[in-house]
Amino acid sequence: MNDLVADVYPFFRIYKDGQVERFDDISASIGFSFVPPSLDDPETSVSSKDVTISPYVSARLYLPKNTTNITQKFPILVYYHGGGFVVGSTFSDVHHRYLNILASESNTIAISIEYRLAPEHDVLTIYEDCWTALQWIVSHVDDETSSNKDLWLTNYGDFDKLFIVGDSAGGNIVYYMAMRAGIEGGINENVNIYGSILAFPYLLMPIENIEQVFSYKIWKAIVPISEADINSSMINPFVEKAPCVSGLGCSRLLMCNAEKDEYIPREIGIRFVEGVKNSGWKGDLEFIEIEDVGHCFQLADFEIEKSRDLIKRFASFIST
């Protein structure tokens, strides 16, 4: 008999033999229908294509229109999708449309990263995949010998304006990429992260009834027992064993909260911002909270005014 080890419906179930069962309803709700890239998106005129970074990591690149002048340089936006570390794909219809709009509105070259998922792979492996992607991106600056380069990045990328952006689990990844960059003195010796956007990041902290929060239940199911609480530095930036947030390796940070977030209680986002402010971090911090919306609302409906306003806010942050 294949015993059930963890039941986190409607996201997934884990069985004793290692089988993972994901559910179509939650996958459909976040856009898990795969779509191909396009050289001319009908809505934005953004071009896109897929690239392989390593045996385990791939990406979809987005190039805004009006790139006929090879001397024109664009900020670089690296995007990490959400999905609780367990579902989602950069090649899904929702994320594809989102990146077309982001690249167009912010006038950036966008690189949306496809990383391995939990629970088949641990969260540290996911972080390593995402760091590998950053390393590949910045290799376009100084590695003359590499054959795995992309001409869009080589010809049009402004590596002095590199931004990392993520929603939900992607926001968690952005935080830890910025922390690692701080610890290591940049992504490499020549490229630093200029700005980070954490949109409704998947972080957890001690608050009342945290055990009843659905994201807490997901976390307990996907990490080892030693990390399966809010004393893990992977989910709580302020535990004693976590590196001090004053070491964040970016110059600017935009943190976004949703007033009615059903997955990450708004109090956690507020406490994160307070913690960064009190840490002594020397960068520029912006915090916005969107009223009357839920978790990653802009991915659910691109057409509503608040979704468009949020994307415009991201674009303003990048262009400033």
Side-chain angles (χ1 to χ4, degrees):
M1 183 177 179
N2 197 4
D3 295 333
L4 188 64
V5 175
D7 187 351
V8 197
Y9 184 84
F11 272 74
F12 63 97
R13 292 188 178 117
I14 306 174
Y15 295 90
K16 190 174 182 178
D17 67 355
Q19 175 192 350
V20 177
E21 180 185 15
R22 291 181 171 86
F23 298 99
D24 291 340
D25 47 358
I26 191 67
S27 295
S29 72
I30 66 168
F32 201 59
S33 175
F34 291 104
V35 295
S38 170
L39 289 179
D40 187 12
D41 175 64
E43 181 180 358
T44 62
S45 297
V46 169
S47 300
S48 57
K49 64 180 176 180
D50 295 340
V51 297
T52 299
I53 295 173
S54 79
Y56 305 109
V57 184
S58 54
R60 181 162 290 178
L61 272 64
Y62 296 82
L63 185 68
K65 61 182 179 180
N66 299 328
T67 52
T68 55
N69 182 356
I70 199 170
T71 64
Q72 184 178 14
K73 300 294 183 180
F74 297 92
I76 297 169
L77 184 158
V78 183
Y79 177 75
Y80 299 107
H81 70 78
F85 295 108
V86 298
V87 295
S89 170
T90 194
F91 306 125
S92 69
D93 49 0
V94 164
H95 288 115
H96 179 65
R97 187 177 178 208
Y98 186 40
L99 266 295
N100 275 315
I101 296 171
L102 271 177
S104 176
E105 191 68 44
S106 60
N107 206 32
T108 59
I109 294 179
I111 308 103
S112 184
I113 308 304
E114 181 79 342
Y115 52 83
R116 285 173 284 184
L117 297 174
E120 293 91 342
H121 305 281
D122 61 43
V123 176
L124 288 176
T125 295
I126 294 172
Y127 290 154
E128 197 59 37
D129 284 352
C130 295
W131 186 256
T132 295
L134 280 179
Q135 290 286 313
W136 173 78
I137 291 164
V138 302
S139 73
H140 289 71
V141 174
D142 55 5
D143 188 354
E144 300 296 334
T145 64
S146 174
S147 60
N148 188 25
K149 285 191 174 184
D150 184 85
L151 289 178
W152 286 4
L153 287 171
T154 301
N155 291 339
Y156 300 112
D158 180 355
F159 289 87
D160 290 328
K161 291 290 183 70
L162 189 147
F163 293 81
I164 54 175
V165 182
D167 301 280
S168 192
N172 175 296
I173 292 167
V174 165
Y175 174 75
Y176 282 96
M177 295 303 99
M179 286 302 306
R180 181 166 178 176
I183 291 169
E184 299 192 10
I187 306 172
N188 68 11
E189 60 183 11
N190 294 319
V191 182
N192 295 301
I193 298 169
Y194 186 64
S196 302
I197 299 177
L198 283 69
F200 328 107
Y202 188 178
L203 301 173
L204 298 173
M205 298 174 197
I207 62 171
E208 187 177 359
N209 297 322
I210 186 65
E211 296 83 3
Q212 304 305 313
V213 175
F214 194 74
S215 55
Y216 177 81
K217 297 177 182 179
I218 294 176
W219 182 253
K220 285 179 67 68
I222 65 174
V223 295
I225 293 175
S226 61
E227 299 286 351
D229 60 29
I230 48 179
N231 290 317
S232 168
S233 61
M234 293 188 291
I235 201 70
N236 183 352
F238 303 116
V239 295
E240 185 175 351
K241 59 185 176 181
C244 181
V245 295
S246 64
L248 274 166
C250 58
S251 301
R252 302 169 61 222
L253 178 66
L254 175 61
M255 169 68 188
C256 307
N257 237 24
E259 182 188 25
K260 296 183 177 179
D261 198 314
E262 64 275 31
Y263 288 111
I264 310 297
R266 65 182 293 268
E267 179 184 347
I268 289 176
I270 293 170
R271 287 175 60 177
F272 173 78
V273 170
E274 291 173 348
V276 174
K277 287 180 177 178
N278 295 330
S279 72
W281 180 61
K282 303 301 183 182
D284 178 31
L285 173 64
E286 297 181 37
F287 174 59
I288 57 174
E289 182 170 272
I290 302 93
E291 297 179 348
D292 296 321
V293 296
H295 189 70
C296 295
F297 71 96
Q298 82 282 15
L299 291 171
D301 187 348
F302 297 112
E303 303 305 328
I304 64 172
E305 183 178 0
K306 287 184 179 181
S307 294
R308 293 290 182 170
D309 287 347
L310 182 62
I311 292 172
K312 289 181 184 296
R313 182 64 182 268
F314 291 171
S316 175
F317 178 80
I318 291 166
S319 64
T320 302

